[in-house]
Amino acid sequence: MEEILAEIGGTCVLMRTRLIARVVTAIHDEALQPFGVGAAQFVLLVVIGKLGPSSRAEIGRYHRQDRSTLSRNLKVIMTEGWVEEDPARAHGRVRPLALTDAGKELLIKATPAWREAQAQAKKVLGQAGTVAVMDIANNILSKPEAV
């Protein structure tokens, strides 16, 4: 058992990426807290803004997020009035989601805090780590069918 724990504890990519994610998330959560938004919801707002009016399924696929996590975060940002269903683009059971003016305003107001958090996160990751994280994520985003 000690051998297995040493192997996993010393080489596990999962443990390390989750550690990095928790540290970077905490930095952003702290910076965004004065705006009443958490890092997960902030990123979701950016995804929705970037995609434009999109279905929950499209958002989930792009963001690689399971249905329950996506629903939980959507509930928060919709309750706050930052995102709403776009009835003009609804078809069948699909009700596309879009940023509201309040959501756009939040992103504008929170951008300086986000920039500060970015600088802190980059300091923690170092230049090589930042480049590696960005390259890996951009590669995943450019090949949605591969993951």
Side-chain angles (χ1 to χ4, degrees):
M1 184 54 132
E2 287 180 31
E3 219 175 88
I4 290 170
L5 292 173
E7 177 187 357
I8 294 170
T11 64
C12 185
V13 174
L14 173 64
M15 286 175 63
R16 278 147 184 85
T17 55
R18 289 184 59 83
L19 172 64
I20 293 165
R22 284 191 302 273
V23 168
V24 171
T25 298
I27 290 168
H28 285 78
D29 274 340
E30 184 177 331
L32 297 168
Q33 187 272 328
F35 302 93
V37 65
Q41 292 83 30
F42 185 83
V43 169
L44 187 53
L45 288 168
V46 172
V47 167
I48 292 168
K50 184 176 170 136
L51 293 177
S54 302
S55 70
R56 288 162 173 78
E58 291 167 330
I59 295 164
R61 277 192 300 274
Y62 178 85
H63 204 218
R64 307 300 197 286
Q65 210 163 42
D66 65 85
R67 181 177 278 186
S68 64
T69 303
L70 178 63
S71 293
R72 184 174 55 250
N73 286 314
L74 281 173
K75 183 178 180 181
V76 172
I77 62 177
M78 291 178 79
T79 298
E80 292 293 335
W82 298 325
V83 167
E84 65 185 2
E85 292 178 350
D86 185 350
R89 297 180 193 265
H91 55 284
R93 293 180 44 170
V94 176
R95 298 176 317 273
L97 301 171
L99 290 179
T100 62
D101 289 341
K104 293 172 188 175
E105 185 67 25
L106 171 68
L107 289 174
I108 291 167
K109 287 181 180 177
T111 294
W114 169 82
R115 287 182 178 137
E116 288 179 27
Q118 284 287 102
Q120 282 184 283
K122 288 177 179 182
K123 190 173 183 178
V124 168
L125 295 172
Q127 183 175 355
T130 299
V131 169
V133 167
M134 295 298 293
D135 286 349
I136 293 164
N138 289 337
N139 186 47
I140 290 169
L141 288 170
S142 72
K143 299 175 186 171
E145 69 285 347
V147 178

